[in-house]
Every structure is written in structure tokens, then in C-alpha cells.
Amino acid sequence: MPRSLLPEAIEKYALSLARESDVQASLREETSRLPEAGMRIDADQGAFLSLLVSAIGARRAVEIGTFTGYSAISIASALPADGRLVCCDISEEWTGIAKRYWKEAGLDTRIELRLAPALDTLNDLLAKDGEGSVDFVFIDADKTGYDAYYEACLKLLRRNGLIAIDNTLWGGAVAEEGKGDADTEALKALNLKIADDARVESSLLTIGDGVTLVRKK
């Protein structure tokens, strides 16, 4: 699965202009050596997430799918000192890498990692903090779970809050006719659903492997 549908020269140019910290650069390099390295986001997308978080003055954020923690650094670094990012993941191995870099970046006090099925964590947040308690959400996990995550996060999200959903172009597979695999079909269905969802405004952006940006009305 390609990380981007852009021509290679243009992608390299965009990446050369993206801001990232030394800690993020080190984490990106370590992650690139993993067999699952294709799951990571890159510096341009990380900078975009930071910009979104800063632009809306977010204080509380949720991330579904943390992997080795690069996106969490991008989000948490844009939160105020008393802000909180709840990271949902199920891998101790990958998030073990993340925790090392969060500490090195001085962001470990802003990040709460919950190793549990994401829907369990989202339902717990709804029960404890209530609807409208979150400013920003980033979804980048199992694609067949995206619809359920989207619905739960819309409840958690405040009015004018943002959800960024990764991999919504899925290497171009969502544009192909005919039935695809379960992940492709789940993304196709969600893309159509969001486009017609009267509860939100949305735009599918061609950043990385596609990022759908959603604003709750």
C-alpha cells in the first residue's frame, strides 16, 4: 500500500518542507526499520495534525491507533501544558516504543495510553466525561472498525470540534469499481456516509494516503 498517491518527486519536496522535532525524526527513523513501517504517518501529516490542534485551541484529544507514537507527539505537542491526549491501542510492543519517545519529548504527562479495545475506551470516556467533552480526534486503526469509531467520536466531540480520519484513499482502492476486500469496502462505505452526513461538514484531502477532515456542526 503506497503511503501517498503523489508522484515521488513531489512527495519528497513536500516532506522536505515539513517541520518536525529532533525527537520525531529519531522516532520516524526507528519506525522505518520495523516490518510494519508502512503503518506510520510521515512528517507532512504530523505537521498538519499539529496545525489543526493549534487552530481550534484544542485541550482534550483522542487518538485511535497509536502505533509507535509519532502522531501522538504531533497532537500532544500542540496541546496546552494542561491538555490531555488519550491514546487507544492494543499493542504493548509498539506503544512501548512510543512511551520512550513521549518521555524524551517531555510529553508523557499530557498523554494517557489505554491498552484496550478502542470502543471500550471511547464508551468509558462517554460515561465519565460525557458528550461534547473532546475537541479533536485522530482515527488511524483497523479499517473495519472505522464506522463504529466515527459514531462514538461524534458523540464525544464538541460542536465545531474536528475528526481527522487516516487512509481514506487506501492506495486508490476506494476509487476502483467492483467489490474489494473488507477494509476497502469499509472505507468506501464510510466515505459515502460522511459525504452525506448532515451532522458534519467534511473534506477528503489528498494528504498521505488520504485524510478526511470532519467538523461537527
Side-chain angles (χ1 to χ4, degrees), residues 4-202:
S4 171
L5 297 175
L6 289 173
E8 184 178 358
I10 296 176
E11 182 180 4
K12 286 183 177 179
Y13 176 75
L15 288 173
S16 73
L17 298 176
R19 293 183 182 179
E20 67 176 351
S21 67
D22 291 342
V23 173
Q24 284 177 299
S26 295
L27 173 55
R28 182 165 53 81
E29 196 280 328
E30 179 172 341
T31 303
S32 71
R33 299 195 298 269
L34 297 175
E36 304 85 1
M39 293 169 53
R40 76 192 190 282
I41 69 166
D42 225 321
D44 56 342
Q45 193 172 337
F48 179 64
L49 294 176
S50 293
L51 178 61
L52 292 176
V53 171
S54 296
I56 65 170
R59 301 180 67 85
R60 302 209 34 174
V62 172
E63 175 181 78
I64 302 170
T66 293
F67 192 33
T68 59
Y70 188 99
S71 54
I73 291 177
S74 300
I75 295 167
S77 64
L79 296 173
D82 61 347
R84 181 178 73 150
L85 168 63
V86 175
C87 288
C88 307
D89 208 289
I90 56 173
S91 172
E92 290 189 29
E93 178 185 0
W94 293 337
T95 57
I97 297 171
K99 287 190 288 187
R100 284 195 282 110
Y101 283 93
W102 294 344
K103 185 173 183 180
E104 184 178 347
L107 296 170
D108 50 320
T109 58
R110 297 185 201 177
I111 300 173
E112 178 186 348
L113 174 64
R114 297 205 186 182
L115 289 175
L119 279 179
D120 291 350
T121 298
L122 296 175
N123 288 330
D124 183 62
L125 292 174
L126 277 167
K128 291 183 177 179
D129 301 330
E131 296 189 9
S133 57
V134 168
D135 305 300
F136 181 82
V137 176
F138 180 50
I139 301 175
D140 184 14
D142 57 298
K143 311 314 168 192
T144 55
Y146 268 25
D147 186 81
Y149 302 149
Y150 173 70
E151 289 296 334
C153 288
L154 269 186
K155 293 178 183 178
L156 274 171
L157 201 66
R158 65 164 169 85
R159 186 168 177 254
N160 290 320
L162 296 177
I163 302 176
I165 307 171
D166 200 23
N167 301 119
T168 49
L169 288 177
W170 205 226
V174 293
E176 297 174 0
E177 295 188 8
K179 189 171 179 61
D181 61 20
D183 289 337
T184 301
E185 290 304 303
L187 289 167
K188 283 183 176 181
L190 182 62
N191 287 343
L192 289 172
K193 175 179 179 174
I194 292 174
D196 291 332
D197 194 341
R199 299 171 295 178
V200 304
E201 290 182 340
S202 66

